[in-house]
């Protein structure tokens, strides 16, 4: 959890579209220059929230209109807006700083109070990039200027953000002092509720639970000025758990449960995780496990959506660049054909000018070919950059999955119930099987697929390593046809294989047995893939077929592959599990 600081207010997509339509209509109807420029800047901000390049188009229109009408305040506003676009939408802090400082220069040359706002924007930029010293410098300067101009709202924002920076630097007393000072400013009471939440969390970190619950109780007040009242419940529950105080929680839990489905994925995960922690505190482990599993599902969904969105953005940009390159090539080729036709006509009419014209067009043609070669080189560089970005995506996903695995391990250490602990351990094994794929995607030449032989070997080693005591004397034979499968195909196969291996380790053998063997084979046969896992253990118990969560999970995952899964006991002893896959994608053989 982190402290909230004041920057840009997010809006839902429907609200954004509605707001943009209103602004466009207002721009068309207003004749006052200052209003039109502010409307252009506001419209640009709406596109910034979507990370849409149209934001820069409208910011440039505001800047051009300001210069044409000698309106320096409009120039400063437009330059700050361009800076915010490069900071928020592009992450280009160098370009953002250039526009911010140019805006400050315009303010200083024309003695404009708006300089304070741009210093505050610089503070936010350094704050979000964790450069706390520079953030303090610009917030402090913005606060001084806001006090000189009497801008109470900006003063309040600066003081809140100074408190947030000091909290990040663990200057807790200074942070609390600043946040309380912001509450003394009567303007923008809606900002006070975020400050209550920040103060509450600040005191939780210092284990001052009385003060924490006092402010957090204010932060969950249901009031028109407090749109985050239900979201702030997760902080209140967190404080209660930390203080081991379960009094008066019935209504709080009911509100939190009712609020879950009204939140976005990230906020929903915060509520669910803290509800799970509360039930763990009260030793209601069954309910706690239910909420913990819901949290894991949402966390995985968040990461999957982030990965999918990044891939879609990269793919869209790559296709756009590819189309642009093809269009440029077509235009050049058409131009060459037209020039050749013109040349033939001139040759037919004016023989004397042939040599001159041939030389001229040869020169032009050479330049065009050079230009085309440059464009192709640029496209190759772009493709390499995208490949690097794909690898970075897989690296980050791998790190995120490792973090989830670590969280599950730490949670398991604090649970005494063996069933809950084993469930968390199984979930940790599944997460590691997914993380292994992204680790290999980051380290290998293929960026959209993984080699089966290497992955199966590492997966089996990982599962055996995580079950050391039970798997010490199991001999296994691995026969895998090497091929490169897509991430979607292999991640699902990997989860199923993980379940089957864990099932063999846990249930296949008696402790007295010395001859423990397992064989795993995977190969392509015509239009199908076959996975076989065979052991010489005690044999599969058909009565447990409908009770095992692992088998239910395997059947669920099998549907994704359009696969048939069958498990049965074999004679004289042992179990044979087979997966026949019809829907798969082979990247390379």
């Amino acid at each position: 959890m982190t402290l909230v600081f004041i920057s840009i207010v997010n809006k839902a997509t429907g609200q954004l579209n509605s707001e943009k339509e209103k602004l466009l209509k207002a721009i068309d109807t207003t004749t006052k220059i200052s209003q039109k420029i502010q409307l252009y800047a506001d419209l640009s901000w709406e596109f910034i929230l979507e990370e849409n390049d149209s934001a820069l188009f409208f910011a440039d229109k505001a800047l051009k209109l300001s210069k044409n009408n000698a309106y320096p305040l409009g120039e400063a506003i437009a330059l700050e807006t361009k800076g915010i676009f490069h900071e928020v939408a592009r992450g280009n802090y160098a370009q953002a700083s250039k526009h911010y400082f140019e805006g400050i220069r315009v303010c200083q040359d024309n003695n404009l109070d708006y300089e304070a706002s741009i210093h505050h924007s610089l503070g936010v930029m350094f704050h979000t990039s964790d450069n706390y010293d520079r953030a303090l410098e610009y917030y402090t300067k913005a606060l001084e200027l806001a006090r000189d101009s009497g801008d109470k709202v900006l003063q309040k924002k600066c003081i809140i953000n100074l408190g947030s920076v000091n909290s990040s630097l663990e200057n807790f007393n200074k942070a609390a002092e600043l946040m309380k000072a912001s509450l003394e400013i009567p303007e923008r009471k809606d900002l006070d509720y975020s400050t209550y939440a920040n103060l509450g969390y600040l005191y939780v970190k210092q284990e001052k639970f009385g003060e924490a619950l006092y402010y957090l109780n204010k932060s969950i007040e249901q009031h028109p000025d407090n749109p985050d009242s239900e979201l702030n419940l997760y902080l209140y529950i967190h404080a209660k758990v930390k203080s081991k105080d379960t009094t008066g929680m019935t209504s709080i839990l009911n509100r939190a449960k009712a609020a879950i489905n009204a939140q976005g994925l990230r906020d929903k995960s915060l509520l669910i995780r803290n509800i799970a922690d509360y039930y763990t505190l009260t030793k209601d482990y069954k309910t706690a496990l239910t909420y913990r599993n819901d949290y894991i599902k949402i966390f995985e969904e968040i990461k999957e959506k982030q990965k999918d969105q990044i891939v879609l953005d990269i793919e869209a940009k790559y296709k756009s660049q590819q189309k642009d390159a093809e269009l440029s090539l077509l235009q050049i080729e058409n131009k060459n054909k037209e020039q050749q036709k013109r040349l033939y006509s001139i040759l037919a009419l004016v023989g004397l000018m042939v040599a001159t014209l041939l030389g001229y067009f040869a020169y032009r043609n050479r330049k065009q070919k050079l230009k085309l070669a440059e464009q192709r080189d640029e496209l190759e560089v772009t493709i390499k950059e995208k490949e690097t970005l794909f690898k970075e995506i897989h690296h980050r996903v791998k790190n995120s999955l490792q973090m989830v695995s670590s969280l599950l391990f730490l949670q398991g250490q604090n649970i005494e119930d063996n069933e809950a602990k084993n469930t968390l351990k199984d979930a940790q094994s599944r997460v590691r099987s997914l993380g292994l794929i992204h680790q290999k995607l980051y380290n290998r030449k293929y960026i959209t697929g993984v080699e089966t032989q290497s992955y199966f070997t590492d997966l089996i080693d990982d599962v055996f390593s995580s079950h050391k005591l039970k798997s010490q004397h199991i001999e296994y034979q691995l026969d895998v046809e090497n091929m490169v499968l897509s991430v979607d195909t292999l991640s699902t196969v990997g989860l199923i294989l993980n379940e089957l291996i864990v099932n063999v380790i846990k249930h296949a053998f008696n402790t007295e047995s010395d001859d423990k063997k397992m064989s795993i084979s995977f190969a392509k046969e015509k239009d199908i893939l076959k996975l076989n896992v065979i052991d010489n253990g005690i044999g599969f118990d058909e009565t447990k077929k409908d009770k095992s969560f692992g088998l239910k999970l395997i059947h669920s995952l099998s549907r994704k592959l359009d696969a048939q899964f069958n498990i049965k006991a074999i004679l004289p002893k042992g179990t044979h599990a087979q997966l026949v896959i019809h829907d798969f994608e082979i990247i390379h053989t």
Side-chain angles (χ1 to χ4, degrees):
M1 284 176 275
T2 56
L3 288 172
V4 177
F5 62 90
I6 307 302
S7 55
I8 298 173
V9 179
N10 290 320
K11 301 178 182 177
T13 302
Q15 292 175 307
L16 285 172
N17 291 331
S18 174
E19 187 67 22
K20 283 185 285 189
E21 290 172 2
K22 291 178 183 178
L23 290 169
L24 285 168
K25 288 179 182 178
I27 289 171
D28 291 337
T29 56
T30 187
T31 56
K32 193 172 181 181
I33 296 300
S34 60
Q35 289 181 354
K36 191 180 286 284
I37 290 168
Q38 186 59 56
L39 288 168
Y40 274 132
D42 292 342
L43 183 57
S44 177
W45 275 48
E46 300 300 330
F47 282 108
I48 287 171
L49 296 176
E50 297 177 340
E51 298 186 6
N52 190 318
D53 289 347
S54 297
L56 200 57
F57 171 78
F58 289 109
D60 284 331
K61 287 184 75 74
L63 183 60
K64 184 177 180 181
L65 187 61
S66 300
K67 289 182 177 179
N68 290 343
N69 290 274
Y71 183 49
L73 177 57
E75 287 186 53
I77 292 171
L79 288 166
E80 181 188 34
T81 304
K82 291 183 71 172
I84 293 172
F85 168 80
H86 286 289
E87 174 195 345
V88 176
R90 292 292 171 266
N92 188 341
Y93 294 151
Q95 190 65 28
S97 299
K98 178 182 176 182
H99 291 302
Y100 286 144
F101 286 120
E102 190 176 351
I104 289 172
R105 180 189 59 76
V106 171
C107 291
Q108 291 175 343
D109 290 347
N110 296 276
N111 196 27
L112 299 175
D113 293 336
Y114 199 76
E115 181 185 352
S117 176
I118 303 178
H119 274 92
H120 179 264
S121 294
L122 276 164
V124 171
M125 182 180 75
F126 286 113
H127 194 165
T128 56
S129 60
D130 297 336
N131 190 337
Y132 298 126
D133 291 337
R134 299 299 299 278
L136 286 173
E137 176 186 340
Y138 285 105
Y139 282 148
T140 302
K141 180 64 175 179
L143 179 60
E144 292 172 0
L145 293 171
R147 283 172 173 163
D148 291 342
S149 63
D151 188 339
K152 294 288 188 181
V153 172
L154 186 55
Q155 289 177 41
K156 190 166 191 169
K157 290 180 180 180
C158 290
I159 293 171
I160 292 172
N161 287 343
L162 282 167
S164 178
V165 172
N166 275 280
S167 176
S168 298
L169 293 171
E170 298 188 354
N171 299 328
F172 297 132
N173 292 335
K174 183 65 176 179
E177 178 187 335
L178 287 162
M179 291 179 189
K180 290 177 181 177
S182 76
L183 297 174
E184 300 299 321
I185 300 175
E187 281 77 9
R188 288 290 301 274
K189 299 298 290 183
D190 56 300
L191 298 178
D192 291 346
Y193 290 101
S194 294
T195 303
Y196 294 145
N198 285 339
L199 273 167
Y201 181 59
L202 190 66
Y203 283 123
V204 169
K205 290 203 291 187
Q206 300 176 78
E207 298 186 354
K208 297 179 179 180
F209 298 115
E211 294 94 329
L213 290 170
Y214 170 77
Y215 285 107
L216 290 173
N217 193 51
K218 286 177 173 286
S219 77
I220 62 174
E221 177 188 354
Q222 294 175 313
H223 190 277
D225 286 340
N226 186 16
D228 292 331
S229 61
E230 305 311 287
L231 174 60
N232 289 339
L233 288 168
Y234 88 87
L235 287 170
Y236 188 89
I237 297 171
H238 175 69
K240 282 283 194 175
V241 170
K242 286 292 185 182
S243 61
K244 298 182 179 179
D245 178 5
T246 61
T247 60
M249 286 296 291
T250 302
S251 62
I252 297 297
L253 287 171
N254 289 337
R255 278 178 63 188
K257 292 174 184 177
I260 287 173
N261 291 328
Q263 308 297 324
L265 282 178
R266 178 185 176 278
D267 296 338
K268 183 187 292 188
S269 71
L270 293 172
L271 282 167
I272 291 174
R273 185 178 70 183
N274 283 281
I275 292 173
D277 290 342
Y278 176 79
Y279 281 117
T280 301
L281 174 67
T282 60
K283 300 187 184 304
D284 185 352
Y285 296 118
K286 184 176 180 181
T287 306
L289 182 59
T290 300
Y291 280 99
R292 182 66 61 180
N293 287 337
D294 289 343
Y295 167 72
I296 292 170
K297 290 177 184 176
I298 293 172
F299 186 89
E300 290 175 347
E301 185 177 353
I302 290 171
K303 292 302 175 185
E304 188 65 26
K305 285 190 174 183
Q306 288 176 342
K307 180 184 73 173
D308 290 346
Q309 188 58 48
I310 292 170
V311 172
L312 286 173
D313 288 344
I314 293 171
E315 184 180 21
K317 289 179 182 178
Y318 172 77
K319 287 182 177 179
S320 175
Q321 291 169 345
Q322 190 177 41
K323 286 180 180 178
D324 288 342
E326 290 172 352
L327 182 59
S328 297
L329 178 60
L330 183 61
Q331 288 173 341
I332 292 171
E333 289 175 348
N334 289 337
K335 194 171 183 180
N336 281 340
K337 290 178 182 178
E338 299 226 354
Q339 289 172 345
Q340 287 174 354
K341 287 179 182 179
R342 192 181 306 163
L343 176 61
Y344 295 145
S345 299
I346 294 172
L347 284 171
L349 296 173
V350 189
L352 188 61
M353 299 178 62
V354 170
T356 306
L357 288 172
L358 284 173
Y360 171 74
F361 283 108
Y363 170 74
R364 288 287 302 273
N365 194 42
R366 181 173 177 274
K367 283 188 68 176
Q368 287 163 355
K369 287 182 178 178
L370 287 172
K371 184 177 180 180
L372 180 58
E374 291 175 356
Q375 290 175 339
R376 287 174 176 167
D377 290 342
E378 290 174 358
L379 185 57
E380 288 178 0
V381 171
T382 302
I383 292 171
K384 289 180 180 178
E385 290 175 350
K386 297 303 178 282
E387 290 177 351
T388 301
L389 188 52
F390 265 115
K391 288 194 173 184
E392 178 61 19
I393 292 168
H394 292 306
H395 182 56
R396 294 190 181 188
V397 172
K398 179 205 72 173
N399 288 345
S400 298
L401 291 170
Q402 284 180 342
M403 184 181 295
V404 174
S405 178
S406 298
L407 288 171
L408 291 171
F409 173 77
L410 292 174
Q411 186 66 36
Q413 298 301 303
N414 297 322
I415 293 178
E416 296 176 359
D417 183 81
N418 286 332
E419 183 179 352
K421 183 175 289 189
N422 288 334
T423 301
L424 284 178
K425 188 174 182 180
D426 289 343
Q428 185 184 2
S429 180
R430 294 168 191 137
V431 169
R432 283 204 305 271
S433 76
L434 293 173
L436 187 59
I437 288 179
H438 292 282
Q439 178 180 337
K440 290 188 172 297
L441 286 167
Y442 175 69
N443 292 327
R444 299 292 192 274
K445 62 180 179 180
Y446 300 105
I447 60 174
T448 57
V450 175
E451 292 180 343
T452 53
Q453 203 169 68
S454 172
Y455 174 69
F456 276 40
T457 301
D458 290 350
L459 176 61
I460 295 169
D461 288 345
D462 184 75
V463 175
F464 271 59
S465 176
S466 64
H467 295 78
K468 287 181 180 177
L469 293 177
K470 291 187 176 181
S471 63
Q472 278 181 349
H473 303 295
I474 299 176
E475 295 180 11
Y476 71 89
Q477 180 180 357
L478 182 62
D479 181 15
V480 177
E481 179 180 342
N482 198 26
M483 64 189 84
V484 178
L485 291 181
S486 69
V487 176
D488 284 346
T489 301
L490 194 56
S491 60
T492 307
V493 173
L495 285 171
I496 292 172
L497 180 57
N498 179 80
E499 294 300 320
L500 293 173
I501 297 172
V502 170
N503 188 58
V504 170
I505 292 172
K506 284 185 175 181
H507 307 296
F509 301 105
N510 291 322
T511 54
E512 300 81 15
S513 176
D514 293 324
D515 182 26
K516 301 178 182 179
K517 294 181 180 179
M518 173 177 62
S519 68
I520 298 168
S521 66
F522 184 79
K524 184 176 184 296
E525 297 180 9
K526 295 184 179 178
D527 295 326
I528 62 172
L529 295 177
K530 279 190 179 180
L531 172 66
N532 291 287
V533 178
I534 303 172
D535 66 70
N536 64 341
I538 61 176
F540 177 67
D541 185 354
E542 290 287 339
T543 62
K544 298 182 179 179
K545 195 168 189 177
D546 297 325
K547 298 178 182 179
S548 168
F549 173 79
L551 290 179
K552 290 179 181 178
L553 178 61
I554 290 173
H555 283 292
S556 176
L557 292 169
S558 297
R559 287 194 289 271
K560 185 177 179 183
L561 299 171
D562 189 19
Q564 289 85 44
F565 174 73
N566 183 45
I567 183 168
K568 61 183 180 180
I570 57 176
L571 297 176
K573 62 177 181 176
T575 302
H576 180 193
Q578 183 180 71
L579 183 73
V580 180
I581 303 168
H582 297 276
D583 186 6
F584 55 91
E585 181 182 4
I586 296 179
I587 304 298
H588 189 268
T589 57

